[in-house]
Amino acid sequence: MADRVYPAAKPAVPNGTAAPAPAPAAAAANGGANQTFPANKAQLYNAARPTYRPMPPPRRKHRRSCCCCCCLFITLFIITIVLLAAIAGAIFWVLYRPQRPSFSVSTLQVSQFNLTSTKLASKFNLTVVARNPNKKISFFYDPINISFNSDDVDIGDGSLPAFTHNRKNTTTLKTVVSSSGKNLDDSAISNLKSKLKNKKSLPLEIKLDTKVKVKVGSLKTKKVGIRVKCSGIKITVPSGKTPTKATTSNVKCKVDLRIKIWKWTF
């Protein structure tokens, strides 16, 4: 027999106050519906708000892979070129054993050296020896320009004719280098006079500038500029008509390539 449920006594209500709404009935014992409450503002706002879906990140993997492939290809190409050039250079060196030509100052005589307050008159007799130590390489020289400098002061200029330097050949070249009444500034004149007064000699540097073409077997290259610089020379001014010989025992001549790029020469 089922138990009976009696409602609780109604609470007392003060005079002048509306009675509260009756409490909802208890849920049925078998399968009763749950009690529902009205939705609040937050629930209403979230129900009307669309679902947030984050944007997918931009796809850059394809571009990165293309850049990486290009960089890798360029690097491999450069390495291949360098390796091929190294192999070709090694083969060329083994076959031809290339060596630079050498130059030396055989004799240098000072025939005239008259220095006034504004001008210089000089005359030098120069003998240069050129040697080609290569067995399979020949050199073809253009006319050679010669300049004499003493502490960056130009004291004479000359030239040598063009010549062919055959394999395993030694060539002797003679010329006259002079300066006839060349005007010099006051600082250059005073520098030369002080050197002659204190040391009785002048340091001299010889420069030979020309272009050369190289022949290897039957192949000829383009002309390349070279400079031969000879330093360590001491000259003594003649007191009379008898020429004086310069000291050339410790002369060192160095051959350097001169490459011109636009306005600059290296």
PDB file of all heavy atoms in Angstrom, residues 67-104:
ATOM      1  N   CYS A  67      62.895  27.097 -52.582  1.00  0.00           N
ATOM      2  CA  CYS A  67      64.098  27.880 -52.279  1.00  0.00           C
ATOM      3  C   CYS A  67      65.249  26.980 -51.853  1.00  0.00           C
ATOM      4  O   CYS A  67      66.398  27.176 -52.263  1.00  0.00           O
ATOM      5  CB  CYS A  67      63.790  28.897 -51.187  1.00  0.00           C
ATOM      6  SG  CYS A  67      62.655  30.207 -51.697  1.00  0.00           S
ATOM      7  N   CYS A  68      64.953  25.996 -51.037  1.00  0.00           N
ATOM      8  CA  CYS A  68      65.998  25.069 -50.593  1.00  0.00           C
ATOM      9  C   CYS A  68      66.583  24.294 -51.769  1.00  0.00           C
ATOM     10  O   CYS A  68      67.800  24.092 -51.851  1.00  0.00           O
ATOM     11  CB  CYS A  68      65.443  24.110 -49.550  1.00  0.00           C
ATOM     12  SG  CYS A  68      65.010  24.903 -47.978  1.00  0.00           S
ATOM     13  N   CYS A  69      65.710  23.881 -52.686  1.00  0.00           N
ATOM     14  CA  CYS A  69      66.201  23.144 -53.861  1.00  0.00           C
ATOM     15  C   CYS A  69      67.085  24.027 -54.730  1.00  0.00           C
ATOM     16  O   CYS A  69      68.132  23.583 -55.244  1.00  0.00           O
ATOM     17  CB  CYS A  69      65.022  22.614 -54.663  1.00  0.00           C
ATOM     18  SG  CYS A  69      64.121  21.282 -53.838  1.00  0.00           S
ATOM     19  N   CYS A  70      66.681  25.305 -54.906  1.00  0.00           N
ATOM     20  CA  CYS A  70      67.487  26.217 -55.724  1.00  0.00           C
ATOM     21  C   CYS A  70      68.854  26.456 -55.089  1.00  0.00           C
ATOM     22  O   CYS A  70      69.881  26.429 -55.774  1.00  0.00           O
ATOM     23  CB  CYS A  70      66.744  27.537 -55.916  1.00  0.00           C
ATOM     24  SG  CYS A  70      65.286  27.424 -56.968  1.00  0.00           S
ATOM     25  N   CYS A  71      68.875  26.714 -53.782  1.00  0.00           N
ATOM     26  CA  CYS A  71      70.144  26.937 -53.088  1.00  0.00           C
ATOM     27  C   CYS A  71      71.045  25.707 -53.174  1.00  0.00           C
ATOM     28  O   CYS A  71      72.255  25.811 -53.401  1.00  0.00           O
ATOM     29  CB  CYS A  71      69.900  27.305 -51.629  1.00  0.00           C
ATOM     30  SG  CYS A  71      69.091  28.907 -51.401  1.00  0.00           S
ATOM     31  N   LEU A  72      70.472  24.550 -53.012  1.00  0.00           N
ATOM     32  CA  LEU A  72      71.253  23.320 -53.094  1.00  0.00           C
ATOM     33  C   LEU A  72      71.813  23.117 -54.498  1.00  0.00           C
ATOM     34  O   LEU A  72      72.982  22.738 -54.666  1.00  0.00           O
ATOM     35  CB  LEU A  72      70.379  22.128 -52.693  1.00  0.00           C
ATOM     36  CG  LEU A  72      71.048  20.747 -52.719  1.00  0.00           C
ATOM     37  CD1 LEU A  72      72.228  20.709 -51.759  1.00  0.00           C
ATOM     38  CD2 LEU A  72      70.045  19.662 -52.371  1.00  0.00           C
ATOM     39  N   PHE A  73      71.002  23.421 -55.508  1.00  0.00           N
ATOM     40  CA  PHE A  73      71.459  23.262 -56.891  1.00  0.00           C
ATOM     41  C   PHE A  73      72.602  24.224 -57.202  1.00  0.00           C
ATOM     42  O   PHE A  73      73.607  23.837 -57.815  1.00  0.00           O
ATOM     43  CB  PHE A  73      70.288  23.501 -57.850  1.00  0.00           C
ATOM     44  CG  PHE A  73      70.684  23.456 -59.296  1.00  0.00           C
ATOM     45  CD1 PHE A  73      70.920  22.255 -59.937  1.00  0.00           C
ATOM     46  CD2 PHE A  73      70.836  24.640 -60.007  1.00  0.00           C
ATOM     47  CE1 PHE A  73      71.293  22.227 -61.272  1.00  0.00           C
ATOM     48  CE2 PHE A  73      71.206  24.613 -61.340  1.00  0.00           C
ATOM     49  CZ  PHE A  73      71.434  23.414 -61.979  1.00  0.00           C
ATOM     50  N   ILE A  74      72.454  25.493 -56.775  1.00  0.00           N
ATOM     51  CA  ILE A  74      73.514  26.479 -57.035  1.00  0.00           C
ATOM     52  C   ILE A  74      74.803  26.088 -56.322  1.00  0.00           C
ATOM     53  O   ILE A  74      75.907  26.192 -56.876  1.00  0.00           O
ATOM     54  CB  ILE A  74      73.043  27.880 -56.603  1.00  0.00           C
ATOM     55  CG1 ILE A  74      71.889  28.351 -57.506  1.00  0.00           C
ATOM     56  CG2 ILE A  74      74.191  28.884 -56.669  1.00  0.00           C
ATOM     57  CD1 ILE A  74      71.255  29.642 -57.046  1.00  0.00           C
ATOM     58  N   THR A  75      74.686  25.639 -55.073  1.00  0.00           N
ATOM     59  CA  THR A  75      75.876  25.229 -54.320  1.00  0.00           C
ATOM     60  C   THR A  75      76.588  24.057 -54.990  1.00  0.00           C
ATOM     61  O   THR A  75      77.817  24.061 -55.139  1.00  0.00           O
ATOM     62  CB  THR A  75      75.481  24.852 -52.890  1.00  0.00           C
ATOM     63  OG1 THR A  75      74.803  25.958 -52.278  1.00  0.00           O
ATOM     64  CG2 THR A  75      76.701  24.492 -52.069  1.00  0.00           C
ATOM     65  N   LEU A  76      75.823  23.071 -55.417  1.00  0.00           N
ATOM     66  CA  LEU A  76      76.428  21.923 -56.098  1.00  0.00           C
ATOM     67  C   LEU A  76      77.060  22.334 -57.421  1.00  0.00           C
ATOM     68  O   LEU A  76      78.131  21.821 -57.791  1.00  0.00           O
ATOM     69  CB  LEU A  76      75.356  20.851 -56.336  1.00  0.00           C
ATOM     70  CG  LEU A  76      74.828  20.134 -55.076  1.00  0.00           C
ATOM     71  CD1 LEU A  76      73.727  19.163 -55.451  1.00  0.00           C
ATOM     72  CD2 LEU A  76      75.949  19.414 -54.345  1.00  0.00           C
ATOM     73  N   PHE A  77      76.422  23.271 -58.130  1.00  0.00           N
ATOM     74  CA  PHE A  77      76.980  23.740 -59.399  1.00  0.00           C
ATOM     75  C   PHE A  77      78.315  24.446 -59.184  1.00  0.00           C
ATOM     76  O   PHE A  77      79.291  24.206 -59.913  1.00  0.00           O
ATOM     77  CB  PHE A  77      75.978  24.685 -60.075  1.00  0.00           C
ATOM     78  CG  PHE A  77      76.473  25.261 -61.368  1.00  0.00           C
ATOM     79  CD1 PHE A  77      76.495  24.491 -62.529  1.00  0.00           C
ATOM     80  CD2 PHE A  77      76.929  26.573 -61.423  1.00  0.00           C
ATOM     81  CE1 PHE A  77      76.957  25.024 -63.721  1.00  0.00           C
ATOM     82  CE2 PHE A  77      77.392  27.110 -62.611  1.00  0.00           C
ATOM     83  CZ  PHE A  77      77.404  26.337 -63.768  1.00  0.00           C
ATOM     84  N   ILE A  78      78.382  25.318 -58.164  1.00  0.00           N
ATOM     85  CA  ILE A  78      79.631  26.037 -57.881  1.00  0.00           C
ATOM     86  C   ILE A  78      80.724  25.056 -57.465  1.00  0.00           C
ATOM     87  O   ILE A  78      81.875  25.159 -57.912  1.00  0.00           O
ATOM     88  CB  ILE A  78      79.396  27.099 -56.792  1.00  0.00           C
ATOM     89  CG1 ILE A  78      78.455  28.195 -57.321  1.00  0.00           C
ATOM     90  CG2 ILE A  78      80.717  27.710 -56.339  1.00  0.00           C
ATOM     91  CD1 ILE A  78      78.061  29.213 -56.264  1.00  0.00           C
ATOM     92  N   ILE A  79      80.381  24.096 -56.622  1.00  0.00           N
ATOM     93  CA  ILE A  79      81.379  23.112 -56.186  1.00  0.00           C
ATOM     94  C   ILE A  79      81.887  22.304 -57.377  1.00  0.00           C
ATOM     95  O   ILE A  79      83.088  22.026 -57.501  1.00  0.00           O
ATOM     96  CB  ILE A  79      80.776  22.197 -55.107  1.00  0.00           C
ATOM     97  CG1 ILE A  79      80.500  22.997 -53.824  1.00  0.00           C
ATOM     98  CG2 ILE A  79      81.704  21.028 -54.803  1.00  0.00           C
ATOM     99  CD1 ILE A  79      79.785  22.203 -52.764  1.00  0.00           C
ATOM    100  N   THR A  80      80.984  21.958 -58.293  1.00  0.00           N
ATOM    101  CA  THR A  80      81.389  21.203 -59.480  1.00  0.00           C
ATOM    102  C   THR A  80      82.342  22.005 -60.353  1.00  0.00           C
ATOM    103  O   THR A  80      83.360  21.489 -60.840  1.00  0.00           O
ATOM    104  CB  THR A  80      80.149  20.793 -60.285  1.00  0.00           C
ATOM    105  OG1 THR A  80      79.268  20.042 -59.442  1.00  0.00           O
ATOM    106  CG2 THR A  80      80.547  19.946 -61.477  1.00  0.00           C
ATOM    107  N   ILE A  81      82.026  23.300 -60.556  1.00  0.00           N
ATOM    108  CA  ILE A  81      82.896  24.158 -61.366  1.00  0.00           C
ATOM    109  C   ILE A  81      84.277  24.285 -60.735  1.00  0.00           C
ATOM    110  O   ILE A  81      85.312  24.210 -61.418  1.00  0.00           O
ATOM    111  CB  ILE A  81      82.249  25.540 -61.567  1.00  0.00           C
ATOM    112  CG1 ILE A  81      80.965  25.426 -62.407  1.00  0.00           C
ATOM    113  CG2 ILE A  81      83.218  26.499 -62.230  1.00  0.00           C
ATOM    114  CD1 ILE A  81      81.180  24.913 -63.799  1.00  0.00           C
ATOM    115  N   VAL A  82      84.313  24.477 -59.407  1.00  0.00           N
ATOM    116  CA  VAL A  82      85.600  24.610 -58.727  1.00  0.00           C
ATOM    117  C   VAL A  82      86.417  23.331 -58.841  1.00  0.00           C
ATOM    118  O   VAL A  82      87.631  23.361 -59.089  1.00  0.00           O
ATOM    119  CB  VAL A  82      85.365  25.000 -57.253  1.00  0.00           C
ATOM    120  CG1 VAL A  82      86.668  24.947 -56.469  1.00  0.00           C
ATOM    121  CG2 VAL A  82      84.761  26.393 -57.155  1.00  0.00           C
ATOM    122  N   LEU A  83      85.759  22.205 -58.687  1.00  0.00           N
ATOM    123  CA  LEU A  83      86.473  20.927 -58.801  1.00  0.00           C
ATOM    124  C   LEU A  83      87.011  20.716 -60.209  1.00  0.00           C
ATOM    125  O   LEU A  83      88.165  20.271 -60.396  1.00  0.00           O
ATOM    126  CB  LEU A  83      85.550  19.779 -58.400  1.00  0.00           C
ATOM    127  CG  LEU A  83      85.215  19.671 -56.901  1.00  0.00           C
ATOM    128  CD1 LEU A  83      84.221  18.541 -56.674  1.00  0.00           C
ATOM    129  CD2 LEU A  83      86.472  19.444 -56.081  1.00  0.00           C
ATOM    130  N   LEU A  84      86.197  21.033 -61.224  1.00  0.00           N
ATOM    131  CA  LEU A  84      86.664  20.877 -62.604  1.00  0.00           C
ATOM    132  C   LEU A  84      87.837  21.806 -62.903  1.00  0.00           C
ATOM    133  O   LEU A  84      88.801  21.408 -63.578  1.00  0.00           O
ATOM    134  CB  LEU A  84      85.509  21.149 -63.567  1.00  0.00           C
ATOM    135  CG  LEU A  84      84.375  20.111 -63.576  1.00  0.00           C
ATOM    136  CD1 LEU A  84      83.268  20.549 -64.520  1.00  0.00           C
ATOM    137  CD2 LEU A  84      84.904  18.740 -63.984  1.00  0.00           C
ATOM    138  N   ALA A  85      87.755  23.049 -62.403  1.00  0.00           N
ATOM    139  CA  ALA A  85      88.867  23.980 -62.616  1.00  0.00           C
ATOM    140  C   ALA A  85      90.135  23.495 -61.921  1.00  0.00           C
ATOM    141  O   ALA A  85      91.241  23.600 -62.469  1.00  0.00           O
ATOM    142  CB  ALA A  85      88.478  25.374 -62.107  1.00  0.00           C
ATOM    143  N   ALA A  86      89.986  22.957 -60.712  1.00  0.00           N
ATOM    144  CA  ALA A  86      91.156  22.438 -59.992  1.00  0.00           C
ATOM    145  C   ALA A  86      91.769  21.244 -60.731  1.00  0.00           C
ATOM    146  O   ALA A  86      92.993  21.133 -60.843  1.00  0.00           O
ATOM    147  CB  ALA A  86      90.755  22.048 -58.577  1.00  0.00           C
ATOM    148  N   ILE A  87      90.917  20.379 -61.256  1.00  0.00           N
ATOM    149  CA  ILE A  87      91.432  19.219 -62.001  1.00  0.00           C
ATOM    150  C   ILE A  87      92.140  19.663 -63.274  1.00  0.00           C
ATOM    151  O   ILE A  87      93.231  19.166 -63.610  1.00  0.00           O
ATOM    152  CB  ILE A  87      90.271  18.252 -62.316  1.00  0.00           C
ATOM    153  CG1 ILE A  87      89.737  17.637 -61.018  1.00  0.00           C
ATOM    154  CG2 ILE A  87      90.734  17.156 -63.268  1.00  0.00           C
ATOM    155  CD1 ILE A  87      88.479  16.823 -61.214  1.00  0.00           C
ATOM    156  N   ALA A  88      91.525  20.635 -63.992  1.00  0.00           N
ATOM    157  CA  ALA A  88      92.155  21.135 -65.220  1.00  0.00           C
ATOM    158  C   ALA A  88      93.483  21.814 -64.912  1.00  0.00           C
ATOM    159  O   ALA A  88      94.473  21.642 -65.650  1.00  0.00           O
ATOM    160  CB  ALA A  88      91.208  22.102 -65.927  1.00  0.00           C
ATOM    161  N   GLY A  89      93.531  22.610 -63.816  1.00  0.00           N
ATOM    162  CA  GLY A  89      94.789  23.251 -63.446  1.00  0.00           C
ATOM    163  C   GLY A  89      95.865  22.249 -63.067  1.00  0.00           C
ATOM    164  O   GLY A  89      97.032  22.426 -63.422  1.00  0.00           O
ATOM    165  N   ALA A  90      95.474  21.197 -62.367  1.00  0.00           N
ATOM    166  CA  ALA A  90      96.454  20.171 -62.003  1.00  0.00           C
ATOM    167  C   ALA A  90      97.000  19.454 -63.234  1.00  0.00           C
ATOM    168  O   ALA A  90      98.208  19.197 -63.339  1.00  0.00           O
ATOM    169  CB  ALA A  90      95.818  19.168 -61.043  1.00  0.00           C
ATOM    170  N   ILE A  91      96.112  19.149 -64.189  1.00  0.00           N
ATOM    171  CA  ILE A  91      96.565  18.494 -65.419  1.00  0.00           C
ATOM    172  C   ILE A  91      97.498  19.401 -66.208  1.00  0.00           C
ATOM    173  O   ILE A  91      98.538  18.971 -66.733  1.00  0.00           O
ATOM    174  CB  ILE A  91      95.354  18.074 -66.265  1.00  0.00           C
ATOM    175  CG1 ILE A  91      94.555  16.982 -65.535  1.00  0.00           C
ATOM    176  CG2 ILE A  91      95.790  17.582 -67.641  1.00  0.00           C
ATOM    177  CD1 ILE A  91      93.263  16.628 -66.223  1.00  0.00           C
ATOM    178  N   PHE A  92      97.131  20.716 -66.299  1.00  0.00           N
ATOM    179  CA  PHE A  92      97.976  21.673 -67.020  1.00  0.00           C
ATOM    180  C   PHE A  92      99.348  21.789 -66.363  1.00  0.00           C
ATOM    181  O   PHE A  92     100.378  21.838 -67.048  1.00  0.00           O
ATOM    182  CB  PHE A  92      97.279  23.032 -67.065  1.00  0.00           C
ATOM    183  CG  PHE A  92      98.071  24.104 -67.735  1.00  0.00           C
ATOM    184  CD1 PHE A  92      98.105  24.206 -69.111  1.00  0.00           C
ATOM    185  CD2 PHE A  92      98.788  25.021 -66.984  1.00  0.00           C
ATOM    186  CE1 PHE A  92      98.847  25.198 -69.736  1.00  0.00           C
ATOM    187  CE2 PHE A  92      99.530  26.016 -67.590  1.00  0.00           C
ATOM    188  CZ  PHE A  92      99.553  26.107 -68.974  1.00  0.00           C
ATOM    189  N   TRP A  93      99.374  21.844 -65.029  1.00  0.00           N
ATOM    190  CA  TRP A  93     100.665  21.980 -64.349  1.00  0.00           C
ATOM    191  C   TRP A  93     101.520  20.736 -64.556  1.00  0.00           C
ATOM    192  O   TRP A  93     102.742  20.838 -64.748  1.00  0.00           O
ATOM    193  CB  TRP A  93     100.426  22.213 -62.856  1.00  0.00           C
ATOM    194  CG  TRP A  93     101.687  22.508 -62.104  1.00  0.00           C
ATOM    195  CD1 TRP A  93     102.311  23.709 -61.968  1.00  0.00           C
ATOM    196  CD2 TRP A  93     102.505  21.559 -61.410  1.00  0.00           C
ATOM    197  NE1 TRP A  93     103.462  23.588 -61.213  1.00  0.00           N
ATOM    198  CE2 TRP A  93     103.596  22.278 -60.858  1.00  0.00           C
ATOM    199  CE3 TRP A  93     102.410  20.191 -61.178  1.00  0.00           C
ATOM    200  CZ2 TRP A  93     104.582  21.653 -60.104  1.00  0.00           C
ATOM    201  CZ3 TRP A  93     103.399  19.574 -60.428  1.00  0.00           C
ATOM    202  CH2 TRP A  93     104.467  20.294 -59.894  1.00  0.00           C
ATOM    203  N   VAL A  94     100.918  19.557 -64.522  1.00  0.00           N
ATOM    204  CA  VAL A  94     101.692  18.326 -64.716  1.00  0.00           C
ATOM    205  C   VAL A  94     102.258  18.261 -66.137  1.00  0.00           C
ATOM    206  O   VAL A  94     103.404  17.841 -66.343  1.00  0.00           O
ATOM    207  CB  VAL A  94     100.803  17.100 -64.415  1.00  0.00           C
ATOM    208  CG1 VAL A  94     101.505  15.821 -64.837  1.00  0.00           C
ATOM    209  CG2 VAL A  94     100.463  17.049 -62.936  1.00  0.00           C
ATOM    210  N   LEU A  95     101.486  18.702 -67.126  1.00  0.00           N
ATOM    211  CA  LEU A  95     101.935  18.594 -68.514  1.00  0.00           C
ATOM    212  C   LEU A  95     102.972  19.648 -68.884  1.00  0.00           C
ATOM    213  O   LEU A  95     103.942  19.355 -69.593  1.00  0.00           O
ATOM    214  CB  LEU A  95     100.739  18.697 -69.462  1.00  0.00           C
ATOM    215  CG  LEU A  95      99.731  17.539 -69.427  1.00  0.00           C
ATOM    216  CD1 LEU A  95      98.571  17.821 -70.357  1.00  0.00           C
ATOM    217  CD2 LEU A  95     100.410  16.220 -69.793  1.00  0.00           C
ATOM    218  N   TYR A  96     102.789  20.901 -68.399  1.00  0.00           N
ATOM    219  CA  TYR A  96     103.634  22.001 -68.876  1.00  0.00           C
ATOM    220  C   TYR A  96     104.558  22.576 -67.815  1.00  0.00           C
ATOM    221  O   TYR A  96     105.531  23.260 -68.161  1.00  0.00           O
ATOM    222  CB  TYR A  96     102.754  23.126 -69.435  1.00  0.00           C
ATOM    223  CG  TYR A  96     101.968  22.715 -70.654  1.00  0.00           C
ATOM    224  CD1 TYR A  96     100.638  22.322 -70.548  1.00  0.00           C
ATOM    225  CD2 TYR A  96     102.555  22.689 -71.916  1.00  0.00           C
ATOM    226  CE1 TYR A  96      99.908  21.938 -71.665  1.00  0.00           C
ATOM    227  CE2 TYR A  96     101.833  22.309 -73.028  1.00  0.00           C
ATOM    228  CZ  TYR A  96     100.503  21.929 -72.902  1.00  0.00           C
ATOM    229  OH  TYR A  96      99.785  21.541 -74.012  1.00  0.00           O
ATOM    230  N   ARG A  97     104.307  22.355 -66.560  1.00  0.00           N
ATOM    231  CA  ARG A  97     105.135  22.903 -65.477  1.00  0.00           C
ATOM    232  C   ARG A  97     105.430  24.401 -65.695  1.00  0.00           C
ATOM    233  O   ARG A  97     106.577  24.824 -65.858  1.00  0.00           O
ATOM    234  CB  ARG A  97     106.441  22.138 -65.361  1.00  0.00           C
ATOM    235  CG  ARG A  97     106.305  20.654 -65.096  1.00  0.00           C
ATOM    236  CD  ARG A  97     105.724  20.401 -63.720  1.00  0.00           C
ATOM    237  NE  ARG A  97     105.525  18.996 -63.455  1.00  0.00           N
ATOM    238  CZ  ARG A  97     106.197  18.326 -62.512  1.00  0.00           C
ATOM    239  NH1 ARG A  97     107.074  18.944 -61.760  1.00  0.00           N
ATOM    240  NH2 ARG A  97     105.952  17.046 -62.317  1.00  0.00           N
ATOM    241  N   PRO A  98     104.403  25.265 -65.703  1.00  0.00           N
ATOM    242  CA  PRO A  98     104.624  26.690 -66.015  1.00  0.00           C
ATOM    243  C   PRO A  98     105.405  27.403 -64.915  1.00  0.00           C
ATOM    244  O   PRO A  98     105.228  27.147 -63.723  1.00  0.00           O
ATOM    245  CB  PRO A  98     103.201  27.244 -66.139  1.00  0.00           C
ATOM    246  CG  PRO A  98     102.369  26.346 -65.295  1.00  0.00           C
ATOM    247  CD  PRO A  98     102.982  24.978 -65.414  1.00  0.00           C
ATOM    248  N   GLN A  99     106.295  28.320 -65.345  1.00  0.00           N
ATOM    249  CA  GLN A  99     107.056  29.158 -64.432  1.00  0.00           C
ATOM    250  C   GLN A  99     107.058  30.601 -64.956  1.00  0.00           C
ATOM    251  O   GLN A  99     106.969  30.829 -66.167  1.00  0.00           O
ATOM    252  CB  GLN A  99     108.504  28.662 -64.301  1.00  0.00           C
ATOM    253  CG  GLN A  99     108.628  27.253 -63.765  1.00  0.00           C
ATOM    254  CD  GLN A  99     110.078  26.831 -63.646  1.00  0.00           C
ATOM    255  OE1 GLN A  99     110.903  27.560 -63.104  1.00  0.00           O
ATOM    256  NE2 GLN A  99     110.395  25.645 -64.134  1.00  0.00           N
ATOM    257  N   ARG A 100     107.153  31.535 -64.036  1.00  0.00           N
ATOM    258  CA  ARG A 100     107.204  32.938 -64.440  1.00  0.00           C
ATOM    259  C   ARG A 100     108.559  33.253 -65.072  1.00  0.00           C
ATOM    260  O   ARG A 100     109.585  32.731 -64.649  1.00  0.00           O
ATOM    261  CB  ARG A 100     106.990  33.848 -63.236  1.00  0.00           C
ATOM    262  CG  ARG A 100     105.585  33.841 -62.672  1.00  0.00           C
ATOM    263  CD  ARG A 100     105.466  34.895 -61.591  1.00  0.00           C
ATOM    264  NE  ARG A 100     104.133  34.918 -61.018  1.00  0.00           N
ATOM    265  CZ  ARG A 100     103.718  35.804 -60.119  1.00  0.00           C
ATOM    266  NH1 ARG A 100     104.560  36.723 -59.675  1.00  0.00           N
ATOM    267  NH2 ARG A 100     102.473  35.753 -59.660  1.00  0.00           N
ATOM    268  N   PRO A 101     108.561  34.159 -66.062  1.00  0.00           N
ATOM    269  CA  PRO A 101     109.864  34.630 -66.570  1.00  0.00           C
ATOM    270  C   PRO A 101     110.538  35.495 -65.501  1.00  0.00           C
ATOM    271  O   PRO A 101     109.882  36.086 -64.642  1.00  0.00           O
ATOM    272  CB  PRO A 101     109.483  35.451 -67.798  1.00  0.00           C
ATOM    273  CG  PRO A 101     108.081  35.881 -67.549  1.00  0.00           C
ATOM    274  CD  PRO A 101     107.429  34.780 -66.773  1.00  0.00           C
ATOM    275  N   SER A 102     111.838  35.549 -65.559  1.00  0.00           N
ATOM    276  CA  SER A 102     112.599  36.314 -64.570  1.00  0.00           C
ATOM    277  C   SER A 102     113.382  37.425 -65.260  1.00  0.00           C
ATOM    278  O   SER A 102     113.801  37.282 -66.425  1.00  0.00           O
ATOM    279  CB  SER A 102     113.545  35.400 -63.794  1.00  0.00           C
ATOM    280  OG  SER A 102     114.497  34.819 -64.667  1.00  0.00           O
ATOM    281  N   PHE A 103     113.568  38.531 -64.540  1.00  0.00           N
ATOM    282  CA  PHE A 103     114.327  39.675 -65.041  1.00  0.00           C
ATOM    283  C   PHE A 103     115.366  40.058 -63.995  1.00  0.00           C
ATOM    284  O   PHE A 103     115.138  39.926 -62.790  1.00  0.00           O
ATOM    285  CB  PHE A 103     113.401  40.869 -65.308  1.00  0.00           C
ATOM    286  CG  PHE A 103     112.445  40.663 -66.445  1.00  0.00           C
ATOM    287  CD1 PHE A 103     111.264  39.956 -66.266  1.00  0.00           C
ATOM    288  CD2 PHE A 103     112.722  41.176 -67.705  1.00  0.00           C
ATOM    289  CE1 PHE A 103     110.377  39.760 -67.310  1.00  0.00           C
ATOM    290  CE2 PHE A 103     111.841  40.997 -68.759  1.00  0.00           C
ATOM    291  CZ  PHE A 103     110.668  40.285 -68.564  1.00  0.00           C
ATOM    292  N   SER A 104     116.477  40.567 -64.468  1.00  0.00           N
ATOM    293  CA  SER A 104     117.547  41.026 -63.585  1.00  0.00           C
ATOM    294  C   SER A 104     118.276  42.186 -64.254  1.00  0.00           C
ATOM    295  O   SER A 104     118.318  42.293 -65.491  1.00  0.00           O
ATOM    296  CB  SER A 104     118.540  39.895 -63.261  1.00  0.00           C
ATOM    297  OG  SER A 104     119.153  39.427 -64.451  1.00  0.00           O
TER     298      SER A 104
END
